[in-house]
């Protein structure tokens, strides 16, 4: 998922500079990828808004420079726009043909806010002549809950401008309630404007999804936990797409080390 190196150095006047390079790595765009967000990491299911917010998180070739002071950070990246192929075990190379910029702000300790923009060259192998511009805003919140629990939440919006093509928006609200060390409940609500369900550039459709899940963890040692979980999801999709009140359920077992 990531092979990277980073370096930071004080610049004086309270400023710090940083450099980051990855092969693969994550450019300066969007909130943390869903598997790293505290409000989402207990769900084994990828959000349907993934390709609006964080599909660049395993980019094969990225270089990022940043400057920070107090609770602010500004970053800019050059990276390879093409998404990895299905052979995720190899290393891909190519020109750093895409760019992004992100401003992050941590006002009080419980909040993390960001605004970012990216111009991505030829992200899809099946549509090599199509480019994208993406914009995202997000707010992450985390706080303790009781003596041993926690509460976390994400609220995010993104816009994907196909070049050429439509401007497609996505909304995401998710949370994780952990009342004690054993139980975690994780709801998520999403809405995306999707133009691929009826064929690429076949007309945009609004699709909504609501899911609720839970996991119960049993500690096997100080660093190993065994979890049993499940979730249920309901979709709202236009009838013209041929879906008849789609729903889904999932049961899973998780071994967590570390």
């Amino acid at each position: 998922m990531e092979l990277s190196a980073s370096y930071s150095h004080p610049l004086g006047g309270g400023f710090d500079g940083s450099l980051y390079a990855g092969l693969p790595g994550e450019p300066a765009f969007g909130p943390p990828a869903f598997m790293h967000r505290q409000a989402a990491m207990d769900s084994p299911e990828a959000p349907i808004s993934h390709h609006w917010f964080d599909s660049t998180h395993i980019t094969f070739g990225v270089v990022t420079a940043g400057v920070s002071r107090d609770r602010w950070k500004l970053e800019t990246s050059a990276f390879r726009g093409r998404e990895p192929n299905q052979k995720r075990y190899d290393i891909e190379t190519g020109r750093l043909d895409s760019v992004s910029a992100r401003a992050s702000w941590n006002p009080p300790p419980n909040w993390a806010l960001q605004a970012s923009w990216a111009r991505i060259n030829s992200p899809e192998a099946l549509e090599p002549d199509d480019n994208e511009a993406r914009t995202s805003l997000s707010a992450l919140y985390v706080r303790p809950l009781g003596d041993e629990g926690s509460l976390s939440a994400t609220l995010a919006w993104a816009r994907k401008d196909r070049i050429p093509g439509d401007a497609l928006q996505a909304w995401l609200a998710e949370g994780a309630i952990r009342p004690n060390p054993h139980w975690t409940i994780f709801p998520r609500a999403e809405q995306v404007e999707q133009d691929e369900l009826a064929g690429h550039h076949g007309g945009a459709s609004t699709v909504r999804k609501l899911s609720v899940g839970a996991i119960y963890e049993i500690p096997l040692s100080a660093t190993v936990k065994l979890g049993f979980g499940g979730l249920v999801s309901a979709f709202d999709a236009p009838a013209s797409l041929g879906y008849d009140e789609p729903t889904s359920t999932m049961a899973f077992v998780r071994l967590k080390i570390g």
Side-chain angles (χ1 to χ4, degrees), residues 36-111:
H36 303 304
R37 295 195 298 265
Q38 186 167 334
M41 62 174 57
D42 284 296
S43 175
E45 193 174 48
I48 61 174
S49 54
H50 170 54
H51 276 255
W52 276 257
F53 293 109
D54 46 30
S55 64
T56 55
H57 74 111
I58 47 174
T59 297
F60 273 102
V62 54
V63 177
T64 301
V67 61
S68 59
R69 188 177 190 276
D70 295 329
R71 297 175 178 176
W72 283 93
K73 187 173 186 179
L74 301 176
E75 304 164 276
T76 184
S77 297
F79 62 98
R80 183 174 185 247
R82 176 61 54 85
E83 294 184 1
N85 60 29
Q86 68 273 22
K87 299 177 182 179
R88 300 299 173 90
Y89 50 80
D90 63 0
I91 296 291
E92 300 177 29
T93 59
R95 293 174 50 244
L96 305 184
D97 53 11
S98 303
V99 295
S100 67
R102 178 169 60 194
S104 304
W105 182 39
N106 296 75
N110 302 89
W111 289 91

Side-chain angles (χ1 to χ4, degrees), residues 63-193:
V63 177
T64 301
V67 61
S68 59
R69 188 177 190 276
D70 295 329
R71 297 175 178 176
W72 283 93
K73 187 173 186 179
L74 301 176
E75 304 164 276
T76 184
S77 297
F79 62 98
R80 183 174 185 247
R82 176 61 54 85
E83 294 184 1
N85 60 29
Q86 68 273 22
K87 299 177 182 179
R88 300 299 173 90
Y89 50 80
D90 63 0
I91 296 291
E92 300 177 29
T93 59
R95 293 174 50 244
L96 305 184
D97 53 11
S98 303
V99 295
S100 67
R102 178 169 60 194
S104 304
W105 182 39
N106 296 75
N110 302 89
W111 289 91
L113 312 179
Q114 70 84 32
S116 53
W117 172 88
R119 177 62 157 78
I120 306 175
N121 185 66
S122 187
E124 301 286 349
L126 296 179
E127 290 86 29
D129 296 327
D130 291 359
N131 304 319
E132 290 183 6
R134 296 183 192 175
T135 307
S136 80
L137 301 171
S138 67
L140 279 66
Y141 177 78
V142 178
R143 56 159 287 184
L145 188 64
D147 294 332
E148 299 182 282
S150 64
L151 173 67
S152 55
T154 303
L155 180 63
W157 166 86
R159 170 173 164 147
K160 181 195 299 184
D161 290 271
R162 295 196 186 277
I163 306 170
D166 299 322
L168 308 171
Q169 299 189 72
W171 292 89
L172 166 72
E174 64 189 8
I177 303 100
R178 188 178 178 87
N180 56 58
H182 296 288
W183 280 103
T184 304
I185 303 167
F186 44 89
R188 177 186 290 150
E190 302 175 84
Q191 175 177 299
V192 299
E193 295 174 346

